[in-house]
Amino acid sequence: MEMALEDVYAARPELGTRVRLRARDSDGDVVTAASAAIDLISKENVAVVIGPQSTLQAEFVAYLANKTKVPVITFSATGDAVTRFHVPYFIRACVKDSFQVASIAAFVKAYDWRNVVLVYEDSNYGVGILPSITDALQEVGANVINRSALPASSSNNRIDVELYKLMTMQTRVFIVHMLPARAARLFARAKALGMMAEGYVWIVTDSIGIVLDVLPENTIETMQGIVSFRPYITESTRILDFISLFTTLFVSKYHPNTDIRMAKPTAFQYWAYDVVWAVATAIEKVHRSTSLNPSFHIGGNIGKNLVDDLPAFPTGPELLNSILQGEFDGLAGKFRLVDRHMQVPIYEVVNVIGEKARVIGFWSSDSGLAMSMNSTIIHGESKFSTSSVGLKNIIWPGDSTTVPKGWDFPVNAKILRIGVPTRHDFKTFVKVETNPNTNRSSVSGYSIDVFEAAVKRLPYALRYEYIPYDCANSYDQLVSQVFFKNFDAAVGDVTITADRTRYADFTMPYTESGVSMLVLAKDGNEPTIWIFLKPLTKDLWIAIIVFIFFIGLVVWAIERSTTNGAFRGPSSRQCSAAFYFAFSTMTFSHGQVKSLLSKIVVVIWCFVMIVLVQSYTASLSSMLTAERLQPSVTDLRQLLLNGDFVGYQNGSFVHSMLKQLGFDERKIKVYSKQEEYANALRTGSKHGGVSAIFDEIPYLNSFLSQYGKEFQIVGPIDRTGGFGFVLPKGSPLVPDLSRAILSLSEGPEGLRIEKKWSVDPTPYFNYGSHESDSRLSFQSFKGLFIITGCVLIAMLLLNFGKVRYAKCRNEEGVCSHEPQPVQIGMVNNSVPSDTL
């Protein structure tokens, strides 16, 4: 501050006012700070109070500023607690703690850490940041699973107790918000307990990050690998000159024996410098417009009403506005107050390595996390988003370059208790067998193999044991056991439903989803005298008949203009000849035609008939020889209208689904075994059985793999989430196991497990008869008919033109000759007249 006063008057000698500093030492005590502020205002008649340095001291002094209208400016009280109330005369010329929470949340999101623990100082300063940082973390999908509060006066033993509690938790990502002196003690104890080792993540707020470069060496050694955020200050020539001069003056004038490293200025010193510059220029501005001479007259009776008796500073409002409107280029960057707070647009991310904090990147609200300051916005999106880390390599605690996964098993980790359902049937998925001699249970099945294969793909070891659980009535009971923490997880054929996700988290499904209907298959080969018509659809039969008549008409039109006697004579004869000719082409027994145009028509039509006859033969053969099984029920409404009985698997959520679909409770039957499924469907609804059984696709596929084509699946009727593994809410195992399941499904091991348990992931859907698939339609031969039609029309037009041309030639030949006289001659007959 002394350097700032010298520089401002050296740079602006024309200023008519001079600011003098009146210093009081608060000695780090709240009461002493309050007393010092009253003394400065009442006795020294100060116009501005710069300070206090801590959030706790600032609360009372801010109240005092409101009473006396003396502006109070702080360059180091960053806590949010001060501004919870209306304090217009309190100015924060430094960053507020809540400004940095977005950068911390972006960092947590970038590494996909789902759970964090907040470790904070149990004071107004420490708790002030909790609401804002909790909200910021929740916005990026991270949960604050624990808040660890440490009083400022905590002993080493008290700190150890709290750290031991953290070691017994799975989460290994800790965010520390403390003043530097308390944080130094915390990290010293954490290192002693082995919590600064590989796998841990320590993130500290800017109150610690700002002073990392000036902490004692023994303190910085305990913080190796931590990551911090602090306001970014450009290292300009002005800054370098200030650092050199400040260090020299500080050591020579105040602390001759101080380590030169600890004598360097930080952002707090830069802000203090800028505050004095802002006050000096603001006082000059007010002095020019009014008389600035603060005077407080305190009566002789000084007692408990001292604060209430303090008069208001007359020019306080003008001075306050002058300071708030000030704007200039300071040491720490642009000095500009917004809503009585200093704005910091960019934070730098630092990593403690060795004796210093290394800059590994930057964060801003526009670009997110970035490796350098040259990051730009592309198409409205940040070049370095939080989805991919845009930072330099980080050296984590334990001198590790491997990114911590954010959680680990606690030091006193117990074996995970995994509940598995005890099934009476459908043991393809989960099979529990108990040894009568040892009374120990063994678990196997498709679901078990998938889980164990997925666990082997995790990047860490997982200790667990299976606990059989009888949940025949409903799998909801098994999910509730996980919710109430009786089980650490549940593995089996548990369907993912929206209601169950309210109480537990599920991995991604490892089977097909959906509910379908199982019905009895019936033979579709019913004898009929008209089966010879079925190979072709109605539209194709009509097209063939129309073209036969068209062929006969075209051939008749062409051939009657020739000398072909078959197409001459009476009209009835011509018609019969034309259409007989057209029909005979189907058996290729047609007669001869003489015109070239007719021959072209016949060749094209014969080709069409060859294609049609061969296709007809193949389709008819398929209908006569292939076995066609059709489902006995194809429509859900058919069951409701007939009032048929339906069934479902015991313990399944399908029961509630059937009631929602409109089935009467009295028409719903429950079954537990595959054999019961088969017998009920064979018996039928009218004889004590059911017409259909509703179940999930994996169960029905398993059923069909044993009972073959006697039954068919119709559907799907409803969609579900498939089978998944159940885990507690917020469990870090969920994303890891989901990725392992996805990796398993893409590789050969997943196919091997499916083959081992005869689990076909493809559903056997059947929507009705296949007869329609083998029938030939007009659409299949549309191209042929279009070509044939075009050829017929072309030949007809050519024939018409040929006839017209011949007629014109004949008319021209008659008109070109003169008429000749007719001569009648007598022929001499050599026969004697008497003979005549």
Side-chain angles (χ1 to χ4, degrees):
M1 289 190 285
E2 291 173 351
M3 292 173 62
L5 287 178
E6 293 179 4
D7 291 347
V8 69
Y9 294 125
R12 301 184 61 181
E14 74 279 5
L15 297 181
T17 58
R18 289 294 182 268
V19 174
R20 297 179 181 178
L21 296 177
R22 295 290 184 265
R24 294 292 186 273
D25 188 2
S26 66
D27 199 25
D29 182 69
V30 176
V31 176
T32 305
S35 176
I38 295 175
D39 181 68
L40 289 171
I41 293 174
S42 62
K43 293 183 179 181
E44 298 289 347
N45 294 330
V46 297
V48 177
V49 175
I50 299 177
Q53 289 182 291
S54 70
T55 303
L56 295 177
Q57 298 172 12
E59 289 197 52
F60 176 79
V61 178
Y63 169 75
L64 184 64
N66 280 1
K67 291 288 297 182
T68 62
K69 291 184 171 44
V70 175
V72 173
I73 308 177
T74 180
F75 55 84
S76 58
T78 60
D80 291 72
V82 184
T83 54
R84 287 182 301 180
F85 309 104
H86 184 62
V87 282
Y89 283 85
F90 179 80
I91 301 173
R92 197 195 306 267
C94 56
V95 294
K96 191 166 67 169
D97 285 339
S98 58
F99 288 175
Q100 64 186 313
V101 297
S103 60
I104 295 175
F107 184 77
V108 172
K109 173 65 175 177
Y111 290 98
D112 200 25
W113 293 320
R114 302 298 181 87
N115 298 310
V116 301
V117 173
L118 296 181
V119 183
Y120 61 95
E121 182 179 312
D122 191 8
S123 63
N124 284 0
Y125 164 77
V127 300
I129 198 176
L130 295 184
S132 56
I133 196 170
T134 302
D135 293 342
L137 290 170
Q138 288 179 347
E139 287 180 2
V140 298
N143 300 315
V144 178
I145 63 170
N146 189 62
R147 297 179 179 183
S148 180
L150 285 171
S153 58
S154 297
S155 63
N156 287 345
N157 183 62
R158 174 70 176 82
I159 296 175
D160 290 349
V161 170
E162 197 65 30
L163 290 176
Y164 273 121
K165 290 181 181 179
L166 300 182
M167 293 175 67
T168 60
M169 303 174 61
Q170 289 185 337
T171 302
R172 290 294 180 263
V173 181
F174 305 107
I175 299 177
V176 179
H177 180 61
M178 292 180 172
L179 292 175
R182 284 110 193 200
R185 294 179 56 209
L186 173 72
F187 284 107
R189 299 313 305 158
K191 182 176 182 180
L193 297 178
M195 296 183 69
M196 299 300 295
E198 183 177 358
Y200 285 86
V201 178
W202 293 92
I203 305 170
V204 298
T205 56
D206 59 5
S207 59
I208 305 170
I210 289 174
V211 300
L212 281 175
D213 294 327
V214 297
L215 290 177
E217 289 186 9
N218 61 335
T219 300
I220 206 71
E221 286 178 1
T222 64
M223 297 183 176
Q224 296 298 303
I226 70 170
V227 175
S228 181
F229 294 80
R230 62 189 183 189
Y232 171 68
I233 298 175
T234 306
E235 197 173 74
S236 62
T237 303
R238 186 182 178 190
I239 285 284
L240 296 177
D241 293 340
F242 177 83
I243 293 174
S244 176
L245 181 58
F246 178 90
T247 305
T248 302
L249 292 175
F250 183 81
V251 172
S252 62
K253 189 174 182 179
Y254 294 101
H255 300 280
N257 299 323
T258 302
D259 182 0
I260 192 67
R261 179 176 178 275
M262 298 176 61
K264 291 182 179 180
T266 66
F268 293 126
Q269 281 73 34
Y270 303 148
W271 288 329
Y273 180 95
D274 292 342
V275 164
V276 172
W277 191 292
V279 169
T281 55
I283 288 178
E284 174 67 18
K285 182 179 178 181
V286 174
H287 176 70
R288 292 177 180 178
S289 59
T290 182
S291 176
L292 185 65
N293 185 22
S295 178
F296 296 89
H297 301 285
I298 308 301
N301 184 20
I302 299 176
K304 63 179 181 180
N305 294 324
L306 175 62
V307 175
D308 294 333
D309 293 338
L310 286 175
F313 181 29
T315 55
E318 291 82 359
L319 182 57
L320 174 67
N321 291 331
S322 180
I323 296 173
L324 294 176
Q325 294 171 5
E327 187 171 339
F328 58 91
D329 292 326
L331 272 181
K334 192 75 172 180
F335 183 92
R336 185 168 64 93
L337 298 171
V338 178
D339 193 22
R340 295 176 174 80
H341 295 90
M342 179 71 72
Q343 301 298 305
V344 178
I346 300 174
Y347 279 85
E348 64 179 2
V349 191
V350 296
N351 179 211
V352 176
I353 303 173
E355 297 181 357
K356 64 179 182 178
R358 180 177 68 102
V359 178
I360 57 175
F362 302 88
W363 179 90
S364 68
S365 58
D366 294 330
S367 299
L369 292 173
M371 191 177 299
S372 66
M373 292 298 298
N374 298 324
S375 301
T376 57
I377 304 299
I378 301 176
H379 301 300
E381 295 183 359
S382 62
K383 181 178 179 181
F384 299 97
S385 64
T386 58
S387 59
S388 58
V389 185
L391 301 173
K392 297 178 182 178
N393 292 333
I394 298 176
I395 305 299
W396 304 96
D399 199 27
S400 171
T401 57
T402 303
V403 177
K405 57 182 177 291
W407 75 282
D408 204 347
F409 288 100
V411 293
N412 60 344
K414 64 177 182 180
I415 299 176
L416 293 182
R417 292 170 50 86
I418 296 180
V420 293
T422 302
R423 298 198 56 91
H424 301 292
D425 207 346
F426 292 100
K427 296 183 178 180
T428 301
F429 298 96
V430 179
K431 183 179 181 181
V432 179
E433 296 178 319
T434 303
N435 189 325
N437 297 326
T438 61
N439 200 29
R440 297 186 63 181
S441 300
S442 62
V443 182
S444 60
Y446 174 72
S447 300
I448 303 301
D449 282 3
V450 171
F451 174 74
E452 292 179 350
V455 168
K456 291 179 180 178
R457 293 173 179 260
L458 296 177
Y460 44 82
L462 192 67
R463 301 174 60 195
Y464 57 89
E465 63 176 348
Y466 295 120
I467 309 296
Y469 181 76
D470 189 358
C471 54
N473 294 329
S474 175
Y475 271 27
D476 292 341
Q477 299 176 8
L478 182 61
V479 176
S480 66
Q481 293 299 310
V482 177
F483 174 73
F484 290 117
K485 303 187 184 306
N486 294 327
F487 290 140
D488 299 307
V491 172
D493 46 345
V494 183
T495 304
I496 304 171
T497 63
D499 183 64
R500 290 172 180 172
T501 56
R502 294 166 54 194
Y503 305 99
D505 283 345
F506 286 81
T507 63
M508 68 167 292
Y510 60 90
T511 63
E512 286 288 337
S513 63
V515 175
S516 293
M517 183 168 60
L518 181 68
V519 298
L520 193 66
K522 64 179 181 179
D523 188 3
N525 288 320
E526 298 178 359
T528 173
I529 60 175
W530 303 106
I531 193 172
F532 68 92
L533 294 176
K534 289 186 176 182
L536 307 184
T537 58
K538 183 179 179 180
D539 57 348
L540 184 55
W541 278 117
I542 293 175
I544 293 174
I545 294 173
V546 169
F547 267 81
I548 285 176
F549 280 96
F550 194 23
I551 289 290
L553 180 63
V554 172
V555 171
W556 169 79
I558 296 174
E559 290 297 314
R560 72 184 299 271
S561 62
T562 64
T563 58
N564 192 340
F567 294 89
R568 291 181 175 274
S571 299
S572 59
R573 179 184 176 187
Q574 293 183 40
C575 289
S576 63
F579 293 118
Y580 171 76
F581 177 85
F583 277 101
S584 63
T585 56
M586 298 179 65
T587 59
F588 308 103
S589 59
H590 50 278
Q592 294 292 326
V593 291
K594 296 184 177 182
S595 173
L596 176 62
L597 299 180
S598 298
K599 291 179 180 179
I600 293 175
V601 170
V602 171
V603 169
I604 295 296
W605 181 244
C606 285
F607 174 75
V608 174
M609 292 309 301
I610 290 175
V611 174
L612 288 173
V613 170
Q614 294 296 328
S615 301
Y616 174 87
T617 303
S619 179
L620 182 61
S621 300
S622 174
M623 289 184 177
L624 293 174
T625 59
E627 180 184 11
R628 299 187 309 279
L629 296 176
Q630 301 178 6
S632 56
V633 179
T634 59
D635 192 357
L636 180 68
R637 291 172 294 180
Q638 179 182 346
L639 295 171
L640 291 170
L641 291 174
N642 295 339
D644 290 344
F645 286 90
V646 295
Y648 73 98
Q649 184 184 165
N650 186 27
S652 174
F653 70 95
V654 176
H655 179 250
S656 59
M657 186 200 76
L658 291 175
K659 291 194 293 184
Q660 292 177 359
L661 291 174
F663 285 97
D664 190 344
E665 180 72 32
R666 295 170 297 179
K667 297 291 184 179
I668 303 175
K669 296 186 177 182
V670 58
Y671 299 102
S672 301
K673 298 182 178 181
Q674 295 184 8
E675 184 180 356
E676 294 177 355
Y677 278 21
N679 293 335
L681 289 172
R682 289 166 181 161
T683 304
S685 181
K686 296 181 180 180
H687 301 90
V690 295
S691 297
I693 289 179
F694 293 83
D695 209 342
E696 295 172 79
I697 292 173
Y699 296 126
L700 299 184
N701 287 346
S702 176
F703 177 86
L704 288 184
S705 66
Q706 298 186 31
Y707 285 87
K709 297 182 179 180
E710 185 181 355
F711 305 91
Q712 288 187 354
I713 296 177
V714 178
I717 304 300
D718 193 16
R719 295 289 184 185
T720 63
F723 292 165
F725 303 134
V726 189
L727 292 156
K729 279 284 187 181
S731 172
L733 271 174
V734 174
D736 289 349
L737 276 176
S738 295
R739 282 190 288 267
I741 292 171
L742 182 61
S743 173
L744 185 67
S745 62
E746 294 176 348
E749 188 174 2
L751 296 175
R752 181 187 61 79
I753 297 174
E754 291 171 0
K755 185 177 180 180
K756 173 184 176 182
W757 295 99
S758 301
V759 175
D760 189 350
T762 305
Y764 295 93
F765 290 145
N766 190 306
Y767 296 92
S769 173
H770 296 282
E771 181 182 284
S772 60
D773 297 337
S774 60
R775 298 187 71 187
L776 305 175
S777 65
F778 174 75
Q779 193 68 25
S780 303
F781 303 95
K782 189 175 182 179
L784 277 178
F785 283 107
I786 291 175
I787 295 173
T788 305
C790 293
V791 171
L792 292 177
I793 294 173
M795 297 301 103
L796 196 61
L797 293 175
L798 287 174
N799 180 70
F800 178 75
K802 180 180 178 182
V803 171
R804 292 290 299 170
Y805 178 77
K807 184 176 182 181
C808 290
R809 288 291 303 272
N810 290 337
E811 291 177 355
E812 291 176 359
V814 172
C815 296
S816 64
H817 293 84
E818 293 292 335
Q820 300 294 329
V822 179
Q823 298 182 357
I824 302 176
M826 299 297 291
V827 179
N828 295 327
N829 195 341
S830 60
V831 181
S833 57
D834 52 350
T835 305
L836 296 172

